[in-house]
């Protein structure tokens, strides 16, 4: 199962979709999941058990079961935010390592570690500069 964004308006200057796509490559099918909030292209990740994770503009981490295409949890993490018009501008971003989602908040120059299963923020750090993109390594 592949997680993808789902934009439909090819003429939009900036489309703020509220659906994500789950693509079953074996069955060659696409299932849409309504989130009730928009997200950006840097808002999508996979959890340790294959769950789909989406950081919504409502500031919550939304957990989606890929088998049922249902939102199983929504955990508030950061304040609500709006996707900037320019794709290069900083926006909240998610990176997952194991059972921890790292979520950046450029509005406050912070990064939060969130337990994917409980939604508990296990740590917060303040950054000297505004975060733009986020990734990590293991080992």
């Amino acid at each position: 199962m592949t997680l993808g964004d789902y934009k439909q308006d090819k003429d939009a200057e900036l489309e703020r979709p509220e659906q994500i796509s789950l693509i079953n490559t074996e069955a060659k099918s696409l299932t849409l999941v309504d989130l009730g909030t928009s997200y950006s292209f840097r808002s999508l990740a996979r959890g340790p058990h294959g769950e789909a994770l989406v950081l919504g503009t409502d500031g919550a981490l939304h957990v989606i079961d890929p088998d049922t295409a249902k939102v199983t949890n929504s955990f508030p993490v950061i304040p609500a935010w709006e996707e900037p018009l320019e794709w290069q501008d900083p926006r909240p971003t998610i990176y997952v390592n194991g059972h921890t989602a790292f979520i950046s908040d450029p509005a406050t120059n912070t990064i939060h570690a969130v337990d994917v299963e409980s939604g508990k923020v296990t740590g917060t750090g303040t950054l000297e500069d505004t975060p733009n993109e986020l990734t990590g390594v293991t080992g």
Side-chain angles (χ1 to χ4, degrees), residues 46-131:
R46 297 304 292 263
H49 306 290
E51 61 272 52
L53 303 173
V54 181
L55 177 62
T57 57
D58 60 356
L61 176 62
H62 301 275
V63 182
I64 302 158
D65 181 326
D67 296 324
T68 64
K70 302 288 183 202
V71 177
T72 58
N73 277 309
S74 293
F75 304 117
V77 179
I78 62 174
W81 55 281
E82 184 173 281
E83 184 178 7
L85 286 175
E86 296 296 325
W87 70 269
Q88 301 96 332
D89 289 346
R91 76 217 40 237
T93 301
I94 184 173
Y95 163 75
V96 177
N97 185 336
H99 292 263
T100 304
F102 296 91
I103 296 174
S104 65
D105 184 357
T108 59
N109 287 358
T110 55
I111 185 167
H112 307 279
V114 180
D115 180 84
V116 170
E117 292 163 349
S118 71
K120 180 181 178 188
V121 176
T122 58
T124 296
T126 302
L127 305 168
E128 289 184 25
D129 295 309
T130 302

